[in-house]
Amino acid sequence: MAGSTREVVTLQFGHYANFVGTHWWNIQESSFCYDASSSSSSSDINHDVLFREGLTLTGEQTYTPRLILYDLKGSLNTLKLDGTLYDVLEKDDEVHWMGDVTLHTSDTSGKNQFLKDLERIDKGELPTEEDASSAGTEDSHDEVQEATPHSSINPLEVFRSKLYNLDGSVSVWSDFLRIHLHPNTVSILSEYAHDPEQDMFDVFGYGQQLLGTQRVSADLEDRLHFFVEDCDSLQGFQVLVDPYNGFGGLASEVLEQMSEDYDNKGILTFGCYPSVYVRRSPIVDYHRLICTALSVTKLSANSSLYTPLSVASGLGREPGPMASFPYLTYNPSLHYHTGGILATALDTCTLPYRTRSDGVLMTELTNTLNYSGRKMAALSARLPFPITLDGALAASLSQFVAAPDLVSLCPGVKEPGRSFMQSVVLRGVPPNRICIPDPAAHADSIFRDCRSANDCLKRYLQYVYPGTLNAGTVVHEPLTVTTPFPHLFNPEITHDGLVGFKPRSAVQGVEKVPGMTSLSSQSGLQGSLAALHGEVEKVDIRRFHRFLDAGLEEDDFKEAVESLRQLARAYQTSDNEMAEDSDDDSD
């Protein structure tokens, strides 16, 4: 596949972005098939787009993400900075100073049961039948074992089939990291400490200042060159960022440089917002508001396409009500839960440029959606896509023809409004669940003559979005949501993601689910941006001395507020008006 792979490098900025990213990488790794003789080893998805092969110093083959991630000091817990996969040479531990030495230590939480079991697997200590039979009675608050008959046990599958309740034992994203990372992946900003209770990295300019230091700038350049030069045919960059604090400033400066250095490559950026914030006070909320406004204008300007993401409905000081999914139950205060939901949508909506056949380039996707200066997009999803045990795709789509009900994951976009362009991805529909079982009994159905999932999706988009430029993608592989994905699916969802008629067993998890996403340029963004502009235009930036001390000029802030107003206007006007505006600007 080397000759046909168009690689993508991913960058993650911030703690919540890394929660989302960790789930995303875990989901992808969960779908890998390591048995070449298996009938499922042939995949629609080309994992080489995001992952790279390598060799350790001992000659062992590795497969790790092309990933650079940034976080603050104290955010790794038990994860080693350089990872454990490569035999990185140890630094000289000998102390040459002959005077008194004072040792300062910081507390770290121990490994949860999932990480302990994962460590055993890495050491080659595969679970035995005794582990499978005894794990269910183990006195542990964070795991439950699914019963497995002794006669059918595959030692490695014992680990993969375990159900872990990690809700109370995940404090940072590395607490549920399933994959191995390359030594060039993790970069810690030691100037600031990770502390949700006392977040001091809450000013946009702090991130900008960090990239101005020699250490951070040179570190980024080295890491970026390593992954970029490793690519044979780079198509672009995926970026996840916390836009509500200093990471928004850091990412904005990085993307400004990248947009100049890689001007012919795509940059698809997702701003990741938690639904619940630990720190809340008027001044803290205003800091987030200012950072968000600056990030929206800067990130959208320096990206090919920018998409805000959250299960919360607000983009301003108040997060607002949470998204409701018919078949999910989640705790909005847990990053571990909400990050998992966002990751499933990301893994699905990015499939068009990650498939083996009939794929598009990232630039083709972003250039279609950012037409006429609309540099932002909204993401919505159905998780899982509902197909009953005795139903079919055509029957499910028929329910949504009159009232499409994708759940918005774009804060501030409550009603979808008019979609100008959209990329819709449908995945994981079982081959025997596509056509209407008895077409004669459904002679009036618009799907009566559809014979494939592609036919059904095309017909659906034609009827529901007749005035929209639609691009549909069908992928046979479902979302893999095995360990350590949180247990969010309601009991009526079967282990393979269908809607059942009775609750599944309490010791049985959901392994795979079908899903659907829409990444769209739509008029609903106008309301989100206008609401954000309405809040931030009332801010007297002179009252926020830390922003001014970090280099923000009053005129620059006013310019950002005006840019936000113009961005909102772009989604309010019609295509004809936009064309006229474009002609006026060219004059």
Side-chain angles (χ1 to χ4, degrees):
M1 291 297 298
S4 59
T5 296
R6 299 296 301 271
E7 303 94 345
V8 170
V9 174
T10 305
L11 296 92
Q12 297 171 193
F13 299 90
H15 201 65
Y16 187 64
N18 288 329
F19 261 87
V20 178
T22 297
H23 273 301
W24 191 1
W25 300 113
N26 286 345
I27 288 171
Q28 293 177 67
E29 196 275 340
S30 298
S31 67
F32 291 172
C33 182
Y34 296 100
D35 182 2
S37 63
S38 171
S39 59
S40 61
S41 60
S42 178
S43 170
D44 292 338
I45 303 172
N46 183 2
H47 293 292
D48 291 343
V49 172
L50 300 183
F51 284 75
R52 64 181 297 277
E53 292 184 0
L55 291 175
T56 66
L57 297 180
T58 58
E60 296 181 27
Q61 191 174 48
T62 63
Y63 200 52
T64 55
R66 293 186 187 86
L67 169 66
I68 304 170
L69 69 83
Y70 286 89
D71 214 323
L72 305 181
K73 180 174 59 178
S75 61
L76 298 184
N77 201 358
T78 61
L79 179 68
K80 294 182 179 179
L81 183 63
D82 295 318
T84 59
L85 190 59
Y86 288 78
D87 294 324
V88 180
L89 295 177
E90 295 291 336
K91 296 180 180 179
D92 186 3
D93 291 329
E94 182 179 354
V95 179
H96 298 283
W97 170 250
M98 300 303 294
D100 293 336
V101 176
T102 302
L103 180 63
H104 296 274
T105 62
S106 58
D107 293 333
T108 59
S109 302
K111 291 185 177 181
N112 56 41
Q113 190 60 46
F114 165 73
L115 292 180
K116 291 177 182 178
D117 288 350
L118 186 62
E119 187 176 44
R120 292 180 61 195
I121 296 294
D122 290 340
K123 292 179 179 180
E125 301 172 2
L126 297 182
T128 64
E129 293 188 7
E130 286 72 20
D131 291 323
S133 60
S134 64
T137 59
E138 191 172 309
D139 184 17
S140 172
H141 71 282
D142 60 11
E143 78 164 310
V144 179
Q145 171 64 41
E146 180 179 351
T148 308
H150 284 239
S151 59
S152 61
I153 283 183
N154 177 332
L156 188 56
E157 292 303 318
V158 172
F159 167 69
R160 292 181 174 177
S161 64
K162 275 189 177 182
L163 301 181
Y164 298 82
N165 181 6
L166 300 179
D167 291 359
S169 59
V170 168
S171 58
V172 297
W173 53 267
S174 56
D175 286 337
F176 63 99
L177 179 67
R178 175 169 166 162
I179 63 166
H180 286 291
L181 301 176
H182 191 276
N184 281 329
T185 285
V186 180
S187 182
I188 293 299
L189 303 174
S190 57
E191 291 83 353
Y192 295 89
H194 169 68
D195 184 355
E197 299 290 343
Q198 300 291 331
D199 181 15
M200 299 306 296
F201 193 55
D202 61 345
V203 172
F204 189 84
Y206 290 173
Q208 293 176 305
Q209 289 176 337
L210 279 180
L211 193 63
T213 65
Q214 174 63 23
R215 185 189 72 80
V216 176
S217 177
D219 176 79
L220 170 68
E221 184 176 358
D222 291 343
R223 294 175 190 272
L224 195 57
H225 283 176
F226 172 82
F227 286 109
V228 168
E229 292 172 3
D230 183 60
C231 299
D232 292 325
S233 185
L234 176 70
Q235 63 169 307
F237 303 88
Q238 297 174 154
V239 182
L240 307 184
V241 56
D242 291 355
Y244 52 90
N245 55 28
F247 282 109
L250 175 62
S252 296
E253 292 296 300
V254 171
L255 294 193
E256 183 174 359
Q257 293 184 12
M258 289 173 52
S259 63
E260 297 174 356
D261 297 340
Y262 306 97
D263 58 343
N264 63 336
K265 308 299 181 185
I267 301 178
L268 180 56
T269 304
F270 298 93
C272 304
Y273 294 86
S275 52
V276 175
Y277 296 94
V278 175
R279 289 183 71 212
R280 292 299 306 274
S281 72
I283 188 67
V284 169
D285 292 345
Y286 270 109
H287 275 215
R288 279 199 302 271
L289 175 67
I290 296 169
C291 288
T292 293
L294 294 172
S295 293
V296 167
T297 57
K298 297 287 187 180
L299 293 174
S300 61
N302 295 313
S303 302
S304 306
L305 195 70
Y306 175 64
T307 301
L309 293 180
S310 181
V311 298
S313 59
L315 198 59
R317 286 174 295 164
E318 291 296 332
M322 306 301 154
S324 177
F325 291 81
Y327 300 102
L328 295 184
T329 300
Y330 67 96
N331 185 343
S333 66
L334 294 182
H335 291 357
Y336 174 57
H337 281 196
T338 60
I341 294 173
L342 298 184
T344 62
L346 283 176
D347 190 61
T348 302
C349 77
T350 57
L351 285 174
Y353 58 83
R354 294 166 45 213
T355 55
R356 294 186 182 276
S357 59
D358 301 325
V360 300
L361 292 177
M362 179 188 292
T363 51
E364 294 174 330
L365 175 65
T366 57
N367 289 345
T368 299
L369 291 169
N370 67 18
Y371 171 74
S372 292
R374 300 184 180 108
K375 297 288 293 291
M376 290 180 62
L379 183 61
S380 54
R382 285 195 189 100
L383 179 71
F385 183 86
I387 301 177
T388 61
L389 284 172
D390 62 349
L393 169 64
S396 297
L397 286 175
S398 296
Q399 303 174 26
F400 305 127
V401 169
D405 69 340
L406 273 78
V407 178
S408 173
L409 295 176
C410 181
V413 178
K414 301 176 183 178
E415 299 296 332
R418 175 196 171 191
S419 291
F420 307 112
M421 300 93 174
Q422 68 173 338
S423 168
V424 177
V425 179
L426 176 66
R427 70 183 304 176
V429 178
N432 62 341
R433 303 283 181 182
I434 295 175
C435 303
I436 296 176
D438 185 8
H442 300 80
D444 58 342
S445 171
I446 64 173
F447 303 103
R448 60 187 177 276
D449 58 344
C450 294
R451 294 293 177 263
S452 68
N454 275 300
D455 291 343
C456 290
L457 181 59
K458 183 177 180 180
R459 187 69 53 84
Y460 169 78
L461 295 176
Q462 288 174 337
Y463 271 76
V464 178
Y465 305 99
T468 300
L469 178 59
N470 297 304
T473 302
V474 173
V475 175
H476 298 299
E477 286 189 51
L479 276 160
T480 305
V481 288
T482 54
T483 295
F485 195 82
H487 307 300
L488 308 180
F489 298 96
N490 292 349
E492 63 265 36
I493 301 301
T494 66
H495 75 282
D496 53 358
L498 300 180
V499 181
F501 304 118
K502 61 180 181 179
R504 68 179 183 277
S505 168
V507 294
Q508 185 179 46
V510 176
E511 298 179 358
K512 298 181 179 182
V513 296
M516 186 178 192
T517 60
S518 169
L519 184 63
S520 63
S521 173
Q522 55 161 282
S523 60
L525 284 162
Q526 189 274 334
S528 174
L529 294 169
L532 178 61
H533 174 263
E535 281 195 71
V536 78
E537 73 171 343
K538 300 175 184 177
V539 172
D540 183 355
I541 197 63
R542 293 171 297 181
R543 296 176 54 194
F544 298 91
H545 303 290
R546 291 172 61 199
F547 282 85
L548 301 179
D549 293 343
L552 179 63
E553 300 286 344
E554 290 184 47
D555 289 342
D556 292 338
F557 180 71
K558 292 179 181 178
E559 182 180 344
V561 174
E562 174 60 20
S563 296
L564 195 60
R565 186 191 69 82
Q566 293 179 358
L567 191 58
R569 181 173 176 265
Y571 293 90
Q572 182 181 26
T573 54
S574 67
D575 287 337
N576 290 335
E577 289 172 322
M578 283 299 298
E580 292 173 2
D581 289 344
S582 178
D583 291 339
D584 292 342
D585 292 342
S586 64
D587 293 336

